[in-house]
Amino acid sequence: MDLQQITKDTAKVLTSYLTYQAVRTVVTQLSETNPPLAIWLNGFSSTDKIQDGEAYLRELLQADQELALRIMTVRAHLAEEVAGFLPEMVRTGTRQANMEHRRQYLEQLTQLHTTSDDSPSDPGSKSESNLDNLSD
Amino acid sequence: MDLQQITKDTAKVLTSYLTYQAVRTVVTQLSETNPPLAIWLNGFSSTDKIQDGEAYLRELLQADQELALRIMTVRAHLAEEVAGFLPEMVRTGTRQANMEHRRQYLEQLTQLHTTSDDSPSDPGSKSESNLDNLSD
């Protein structure tokens, strides 16, 4: 596992996602103040294109410099405001989601197990071994 | 701008991305130890499906519980190891990328400007006003 590369890739994905959120914010603002421009920016900003936030901004700078600068300002603001909360949210979120998946699966197995106890022909070995695996 | 909602959405995207990286890690490990299973997991894990990491894991738990638990363990590990570096990387990365976009654009304008200086018929007003906008 190349942790350094994964960290770099994750930061890049995150920056592109914040660029996407900045575009959404500016589109929402423009839909109040300049609806035709909001429609134009929305059409320009396909999801595919924003997958790479930097390539998207380079292209937008050529098409409408003022909008590109505005989106850059908003994403820098988002990076300042949002990034600090992410480590704790992602750590806690992952831990809780993992626990919830294990709980739901265990519950399902227990139900299967109870049902199979009623049937004397079922050896129940599959669900036993599955339960063992849940402890790690 | 609903910062709280954006933060929540960003954390969710980030968790799904770490789930994707966990799947990639496990596929790589399996391609050494159990190639047929690596191929199966790779086929099961389409990019579309992992867009929602939790739905993906629920489905995988039904298909292969052991693999699902392994991926959950790896993504929890990634969350612990990777998340802490992200705020600084994303803040600095965004600031530097923004600066680089501005610099490249300014350079391009300056070249256009120099070229247009050679041509007496060009009023140069477009590039002047563009330069003014770069200061914010």
Side-chain angles (χ1 to χ4, degrees):
Chain A
M1 194 185 318
D2 184 350
L3 274 176
Q4 208 179 349
Q5 190 58 47
I6 291 177
T7 310
K8 265 177 77 176
D9 291 348
T10 308
K12 200 183 163 193
V13 165
L14 197 52
T15 307
S16 285
Y17 184 73
L18 291 180
T19 309
Y20 158 78
Q21 285 287 1
V23 172
R24 278 191 52 185
T25 302
V26 172
V27 167
T28 307
Q29 291 166 349
L30 286 174
S31 65
E32 305 277 334
T33 58
N34 189 344
L37 194 56
I39 291 167
W40 180 85
L41 180 59
N42 199 43
F44 182 87
S45 315
S46 66
T47 313
D48 262 12
K49 221 183 254 173
I50 315 189
Q51 288 289 329
D52 182 344
E54 305 319 317
Y56 166 83
L57 282 170
R58 265 193 299 276
E59 209 178 314
L60 185 59
L61 267 169
Q62 302 303 320
D64 189 320
Q65 173 228 343
E66 207 176 317
L67 275 183
L69 293 173
R70 182 161 164 185
I71 289 166
M72 279 155 61
T73 305
V74 174
R75 75 166 184 171
H77 177 70
L78 286 180
E80 293 299 333
E81 295 294 321
V82 166
F85 295 104
L86 295 176
E88 197 43 40
M89 284 177 84
V90 168
R91 283 189 198 120
T92 314
T94 307
R95 234 178 282 136
Q96 285 177 345
N98 279 359
M99 226 154 56
E100 183 59 19
H101 286 306
R102 288 194 180 101
R103 193 191 62 71
Q104 280 181 10
Y105 192 73
L106 192 62
E107 217 170 79
Q108 205 180 20
L109 284 184
T110 315
Q111 280 167 3
L112 281 176
H113 204 238
T114 314
T115 316
S116 69
D117 276 352
D118 298 339
S119 138
S121 65
D122 189 300
S125 61
K126 171 114 180 78
S127 24
E128 293 284 358
S129 71
N130 282 344
L131 283 169
D132 288 346
N133 282 329
L134 284 168
S135 54
D136 66 339
Chain B
M1 193 184 321
D2 184 350
L3 273 177
Q4 208 178 350
Q5 190 58 46
I6 291 177
T7 310
K8 267 178 75 177
D9 291 348
T10 308
K12 200 180 161 196
V13 164
L14 197 51
T15 308
S16 285
Y17 184 73
L18 291 180
T19 309
Y20 158 78
Q21 285 285 2
V23 173
R24 277 191 55 184
T25 302
V26 172
V27 167
T28 307
Q29 290 166 348
L30 285 174
S31 65
E32 304 277 336
T33 58
N34 189 343
L37 194 57
I39 291 168
W40 180 85
L41 180 59
N42 199 42
F44 182 87
S45 316
S46 66
T47 314
D48 263 10
K49 222 182 253 174
I50 316 189
Q51 288 289 329
D52 181 345
E54 306 317 318
Y56 167 82
L57 281 170
R58 266 193 297 277
E59 208 179 315
L60 185 59
L61 267 169
Q62 303 302 320
D64 189 321
Q65 174 228 344
E66 208 176 315
L67 275 182
L69 294 173
R70 183 162 163 184
I71 289 166
M72 280 154 62
T73 305
V74 174
R75 76 166 183 171
H77 176 70
L78 287 181
E80 293 298 332
E81 295 294 321
V82 166
F85 295 104
L86 296 175
E88 197 43 41
M89 282 176 85
V90 168
R91 284 191 198 118
T92 314
T94 306
R95 233 178 284 137
Q96 284 176 345
N98 279 359
M99 226 153 58
E100 183 60 17
H101 286 305
R102 288 195 180 100
R103 192 191 62 72
Q104 280 181 9
Y105 192 73
L106 192 62
E107 217 171 79
Q108 205 180 20
L109 284 185
T110 315
Q111 280 167 2
L112 281 176
H113 203 239
T114 314
T115 317
S116 69
D117 276 353
D118 298 340
S119 136
S121 65
D122 188 299
S125 60
K126 172 112 179 80
S127 27
E128 293 284 359
S129 70
N130 283 342
L131 282 169
D132 288 345
N133 283 330
L134 283 168
S135 55
D136 64 339

